[in-house]
Amino acid sequence: MQLVKIYECLCDETRLRVLNILAQGPLCVCHFQEILREPQVKISKHLAYLRSRGLVECERQGNWMIYELPAKPSRELRTNLACLQDCAREHPAFQRDLARLQKLAPKLAATGPCGCATAKPAVR
Amino acid sequence: MQLVKIYECLCDETRLRVLNILAQGPLCVCHFQEILREPQVKISKHLAYLRSRGLVECERQGNWMIYELPAKPSRELRTNLACLQDCAREHPAFQRDLARLQKLAPKLAATGPCGCATAKPAVR
DNA sequence: GATTCATATTCCTTAATAGGAATATAGATA
DNA sequence: TATCTATATTCCTATTAAGGAATATGAATC
């Protein structure tokens, strides 16, 4: 059942945090590292997990992998992501992540979702 | 995180079916067996799992254990159960279970949620 | 008190998952 | 071509979960 696969994705805190952040827009792995403050392996693996089950999509952009929520999510996925948003609003942990994302906003505006310290603007 | 515990409960098909049925009202284990057509151990264990995480409550009534959704669910739980309801509406498996529940309706009306074949009415 | 009925628990095996350390890869750059 | 950067994968270990067979428990009944 597709629904079970969705819930399997949702039953890990790191993945919930990832999805909460992605609700704001696409992002690259190094930014997840910065916001979540978790080691690269951990983030990369959880993103792979989410990807294998269709909860995120990704696209390479130079050295960076940009992850984002599916362009055409199923009704079930849409419903559950909305539900997660609803629940996340209350949680300090999620709020904190969004605050950190905000701090990156200027950088993101300048360089796009892969705007890491060393990154050149996507459009030269 | 409480939210993760909820999702852990939701990532098994049997448990989803149980919760879907419980949304209609309290029920005893033997009725779950009848509706889900799964062995007793399996159902009993999943109910214990749900109970240990606060997704269901139960109460003994003679020989029967009556399970039901929490009287005072947290906001998160309420939100997620509503979301599940929403998703379940589409799924044949869930519909089938509800249809089977409907077939038991007359019996339930006569004997309450523990109205198994041999059960006496709850109120004598 | 012995039996029966509904349900729970234990024991076992198997499979899935998480996390970290180390290593591999793909693209960009020198 | 060699190197660097961002990210992915492999290998390992520990934990958790699922399912079934057998058994235990608690309440009711004989």
Side-chain angles (χ1 to χ4, degrees):
Chain A
M1 189 182 303
Q2 176 61 21
L3 193 50
V4 172
K5 292 288 170 207
I6 293 177
Y7 285 128
E8 282 171 355
C9 287
L10 298 181
C11 68
D12 176 275
E13 180 165 344
T14 304
R15 291 195 291 264
L16 290 184
R17 293 173 71 195
V18 164
L19 291 170
N20 181 52
I21 290 172
L22 282 181
Q24 304 296 119
L27 212 63
C28 71
V29 180
C30 55
H31 277 141
F32 280 114
Q33 288 179 238
E34 215 168 327
I35 294 171
L36 302 184
R37 309 206 175 156
E38 298 281 359
Q40 184 255 328
V41 205
K42 189 168 173 180
I43 290 175
S44 188
K45 274 187 187 175
H46 281 301
L47 285 168
Y49 187 103
L50 289 170
R51 190 186 173 196
S52 72
R53 282 152 178 86
L55 283 251
V56 304
E57 293 169 351
C58 68
E59 175 199 19
R60 178 177 282 279
Q61 197 162 319
N63 269 337
W64 295 270
M65 291 296 283
I66 312 297
Y67 283 83
E68 59 191 334
L69 296 180
K72 299 188 174 179
S74 67
R75 206 182 79 89
E76 289 174 347
L77 181 52
R78 243 183 306 117
T79 307
N80 272 289
L81 288 178
C83 179
L84 173 58
Q85 286 298 98
D86 193 353
C87 293
R89 209 165 299 137
E90 312 262 302
H91 276 282
F94 292 123
Q95 292 172 350
R96 182 167 33 79
D97 289 342
L98 292 185
R100 288 189 191 143
L101 177 60
Q102 285 310 315
K103 282 202 179 171
L104 294 179
K107 217 193 289 185
L108 291 172
T111 59
C114 59
C116 298
T118 57
K120 306 297 186 306
V123 185
R124 264 160 290 176
Chain B
M1 192 182 304
Q2 177 61 21
L3 193 51
V4 172
K5 292 288 170 206
I6 293 177
Y7 284 129
E8 282 172 355
C9 286
L10 298 180
C11 68
D12 176 276
E13 179 164 348
T14 304
R15 291 196 290 264
L16 289 183
R17 292 173 71 196
V18 164
L19 292 170
N20 180 53
I21 290 171
L22 282 181
Q24 304 297 120
L27 211 63
C28 72
V29 179
C30 56
H31 278 141
F32 280 115
Q33 287 179 238
E34 215 170 325
I35 294 172
L36 302 183
R37 309 208 175 153
E38 298 281 1
Q40 185 256 326
V41 205
K42 188 168 173 179
I43 290 174
S44 189
K45 276 188 187 173
H46 281 302
L47 285 169
Y49 187 104
L50 289 170
R51 192 186 171 198
S52 74
R53 281 153 180 85
L55 282 251
V56 304
E57 293 169 350
C58 69
E59 174 198 20
R60 180 176 282 278
Q61 195 161 320
N63 269 336
W64 295 269
M65 290 295 282
I66 313 298
Y67 283 84
E68 59 191 335
L69 296 180
K72 298 188 175 180
S74 67
R75 208 183 79 89
E76 289 173 346
L77 181 53
R78 244 184 304 118
T79 308
N80 271 289
L81 288 177
C83 179
L84 173 58
Q85 285 297 98
D86 192 355
C87 293
R89 209 166 297 136
E90 313 261 300
H91 276 280
F94 292 122
Q95 293 171 350
R96 182 167 34 78
D97 289 340
L98 292 185
R100 288 191 190 140
L101 177 61
Q102 285 309 314
K103 283 201 180 173
L104 294 180
K107 218 192 293 184
L108 290 174
T111 60
C114 60
C116 299
T118 58
K120 306 293 185 307
V123 185
R124 263 160 289 173

